[in-house]
Amino acid sequence: MTDASSAPVRHSRKGLIVPFAIVFVGLALWTGWWFFLTQQIETKLQGRIARLEQSGWTVRHGQMTTTGWPLRARVAMKHVDVVAPSGHAVAAPEIVAEANAYNPARWVIIAPDGLIVTRGAKGKTAVRAEAIRMSLHGLTQRWPNVAFELVKPVFTALPDAEPFPLARAGLVQFYMRPHVAGSNTPTEDVDVLFRLVDGEGRPNGPVEGLTQSGRLNAQVETVIEKAGALKGGDAQGLLSAWTAAGGRFVAVKGQLEAGESRTFLSSPALSADDKGRLEGEVFLRAEKPLAAIVGLAGATQGGALDRAAAARAAAATPQGGTGEQGQAVDLVLNFKGGRSYLGPFALAPAPQLF
């Protein structure tokens, strides 16, 4: 007869089932959240497109897909074409935006197959690069934090378009953030920073002449006043409404390296006239400026009068003595009446903002 105390003990299986049940419930809840999140993203994106179209923009795109479960939200749009009221436009075979599903406030946007940029009446330029990416965060702020980057871009003007000043570059970066007044009070203004590393000009163009067939490196930072008016671009140009509202670039400072020439620049304020041409004074502290000005004089960047004026400016520019430290001179570049002046010499048309 078997003793009851020696019978095998039956252990409860609850200890095995409960963890699996918790995982299953958690996964179901997370999946529900993921689908809700992606639906909200698509809804907000379509709403933003509708608001742009109501403002005169044209936004066209092909198939839109959302993937990335379980940890990411990835939105891919095919054949994207965004046209501003001014005629400026950006098109791409595909645009992909990604964010962490657990932190959808920060997005990374890439254009894996390049961009086609339309510069208004100047025509279209193709942009190919090892990487074209932009990050956005702080989307609940008045102005988000933006970082845009082109890694080893190549610029190709398409048929019937004006030549693009650059042929290629090692790196192009643009940063934007809300401008803070005092300790932590955001304003209507934004801080921007632009960097160009190892830029190469197109053959016989102004950048090639400026750099003496070398490389152009630049870093410029400024504060854009009344940046809210930038949202009102119309058929006159992307920046026309901002200009009409009294928008300016203030606290401008930067550095340019063109071949052997190096220049430190600053300006208290720059604005634009009613035709979009830059206006104001830029103060330059230049090292070895003669080579750059001579290069401009030889570049086919405008009419013969432009090159002749650059040659006269080169002849009249003081070189500050001899030796490495003795060649730094102070110059003033003046933008007025649609022209760029170095002293009394009109070198070229002033840069056009719109």
Side-chain angles (χ1 to χ4, degrees), residues 3 8 27 41 82 101 104 112 128 135-136 168 203 209 216 234 240 246 268 285 304 320 348 352:
D3 190 351
L27 187 60
I41 291 170
V82 181
R128 303 283 297 185
S135 68
L136 297 169
R168 60 183 54 82
L216 177 63
D234 55 27
S240 59
R285 180 70 174 172
Q352 189 166 13

Side-chain angles (χ1 to χ4, degrees), residues 241 256 262:
L256 304 176
R262 177 182 297 178

Side-chain angles (χ1 to χ4, degrees), residues 315-335:
T317 298
Q319 295 306 299
T322 59
E324 290 295 323
Q325 300 302 320
Q327 295 193 34
V329 296
D330 293 319
L331 304 169
V332 178
L333 188 61
N334 197 355
F335 302 107

Side-chain angles (χ1 to χ4, degrees), residues 227-281:
L230 286 168
K231 298 180 179 180
D234 55 27
Q236 288 184 289
L238 286 174
L239 303 180
S240 59
W242 171 75
T243 300
R248 302 184 304 166
F249 301 102
V250 298
V252 181
K253 59 182 179 180
Q255 178 178 331
L256 304 176
E257 294 181 5
E260 295 182 354
S261 302
R262 177 182 297 178
T263 301
F264 301 91
L265 62 90
S266 64
S267 176
L270 293 170
S271 59
D273 62 18
D274 57 359
K275 296 182 180 179
R277 294 287 185 183
L278 197 64
E279 287 191 327
E281 289 185 331

Side-chain angles (χ1 to χ4, degrees), residues 21-35:
I22 292 174
V23 171
F24 178 79
V25 172
L27 187 60
L29 291 174
W30 180 260
T31 301
W33 156 252
W34 186 88
F35 278 106

